[in-house]
Amino acid sequence: QKRTVEDTWRHIGHLVETIEPGECKNYFENAGYASIKT
């Protein structure tokens, strides 16, 4: 199967659309990037 840079980016774009906001939030919190609210 042929693979191009454009096809790779297109596929990544489709994958990113499947990530839920809560999943993204949890990832950043667990990676230590959580904001501190006062």
Side-chain angles (χ1 to χ4, degrees), residues 10-34:
R10 191 174 299 111
H11 185 67
I12 291 170
H14 290 298
L15 292 174
V16 168
E17 292 174 351
T18 67
I19 300 170
E20 297 291 329
E23 290 177 294
C24 189
K25 176 183 169 286
N26 289 339
Y27 172 81
F28 283 109
E29 284 180 356
N30 289 321
Y33 293 107

